[in-house]
Amino acid sequence: MATNNEIKNIFLSASIPLPERDPQYIETADIIAIRDAVIAFVTTVLPYHRIIWGGHPSITPLIYYVMLKLDLNIQKHVTLYQSKLFEKFFPEDNNKFNNVILTDNIENDREKSLLHMRKRMFSENKFAAAVFIGGMEGIEIEYNMFKEYHPNALLLPIASTGAATKKLYDEVFPDDMKNERFLKDYGYMSLFQKLLIDKISLVGT
């Protein structure tokens, strides 16, 4: 396991699209790929670096599942941000993490509360990289905000998972940063090792 001085923060933006929401996301979503990518990402990253994410009920249980499977004392390697607006709907797995940061409910308004949470998440931490998997409109918002706060960080949109991340890859992600592996490689463990872990080990944060 990495020493404290070597631990780098990696932002995870991921969710499984809901059928009742915007069809542009669910139509291209690969639910199995989303779950596989999240599990592979956490398995690859967690022993060495810190994962920071805004808790989503479809993703937080997967992260906890991997923590149990790894059987390592790695609570310091995870930080979960949640808005108090959604307190009634927090998944039970939230209680199993030591580092949960609750952000203010702003005027009982969903958009304002999420914006506040994201601003805190991106301003309070220094990130080496961000990984985007599946998702809906929140992925697009977090991609743009993350780039604004951390313009030099590594970006990995895993387009093979479809949904908002595929849309980002096709429409927004710079051509000179595109990689066929993002689009077609379902061997996520080796993808994250090669394009994330190996790369951030070569640069400082």
Side-chain angles (χ1 to χ4, degrees):
M1 184 177 295
T3 65
N4 285 340
N5 289 335
E6 296 169 326
I7 293 174
K8 297 176 182 178
N9 294 328
I10 301 173
F11 173 61
L12 173 63
S13 181
S15 73
I16 296 174
L18 300 172
E20 63 270 21
R21 297 277 285 278
D22 195 326
Q24 70 171 319
Y25 300 122
I26 192 66
E27 283 172 1
T28 65
D30 185 332
I31 308 302
I32 293 173
I34 291 171
R35 289 179 175 146
D36 286 351
V38 170
I39 289 171
F41 167 76
V42 179
T43 303
T44 306
V45 170
L46 210 50
Y48 307 104
H49 299 291
R50 181 179 296 105
I51 297 172
I52 299 175
W53 77 103
H56 190 281
S58 66
I59 300 302
T60 298
L62 290 176
I63 294 176
Y64 182 67
Y65 162 77
V66 176
M67 284 182 65
L68 285 180
K69 193 170 80 167
L70 291 175
D71 194 27
L72 294 170
N73 182 19
I74 45 180
Q75 283 282 355
K76 66 182 178 181
H77 288 219
V78 291
T79 301
L80 165 61
Y81 278 76
Q82 289 264 229
S83 172
K84 292 178 183 177
L85 176 67
F86 304 108
E87 209 154 6
K88 293 180 181 178
F89 309 103
F90 288 171
E92 186 179 335
D93 290 295
N94 275 24
N95 300 322
K96 296 165 183 172
F97 294 99
N98 291 344
N99 302 320
V100 179
I101 297 173
L102 298 178
T103 61
D104 291 338
N105 174 352
I106 308 298
E107 300 173 10
N108 223 30
D109 181 280
R110 184 179 186 275
E111 301 308 318
K112 290 179 181 178
S113 297
L114 284 173
L115 178 63
H116 173 71
M117 181 200 75
R118 287 165 174 149
K119 281 182 175 179
R120 280 198 56 185
M121 188 164 53
F122 295 142
S123 65
E124 293 175 355
N125 301 282
K126 191 174 184 180
F127 290 95
V131 172
F132 303 87
I133 296 171
M136 297 177 285
E137 70 279 354
I139 299 284
E140 298 182 73
I141 293 168
E142 289 179 348
Y143 176 86
N144 290 319
M145 286 186 69
F146 183 88
K147 282 210 315 175
E148 181 182 340
Y149 279 86
H150 303 279
N152 298 317
L154 185 65
L155 302 172
L156 284 83
I158 310 304
S160 59
T161 60
T165 300
K166 175 69 162 57
K167 186 170 181 282
L168 273 179
Y169 184 86
D170 289 343
E171 300 175 7
V172 179
F173 198 59
D175 287 341
D176 61 349
M177 295 174 64
K178 288 185 176 179
N179 187 316
E180 281 290 291
R181 294 191 69 176
F182 292 150
L183 195 59
K184 298 179 179 179
D185 190 346
Y186 293 85
Y188 296 121
M189 292 282 285
S190 67
L191 185 155
F192 287 125
Q193 182 64 49
K194 182 74 172 177
L195 300 183
L196 177 63
I197 301 297
D198 290 352
K199 282 196 174 184
I200 66 172
S201 69
L202 299 175
V203 295
T205 59

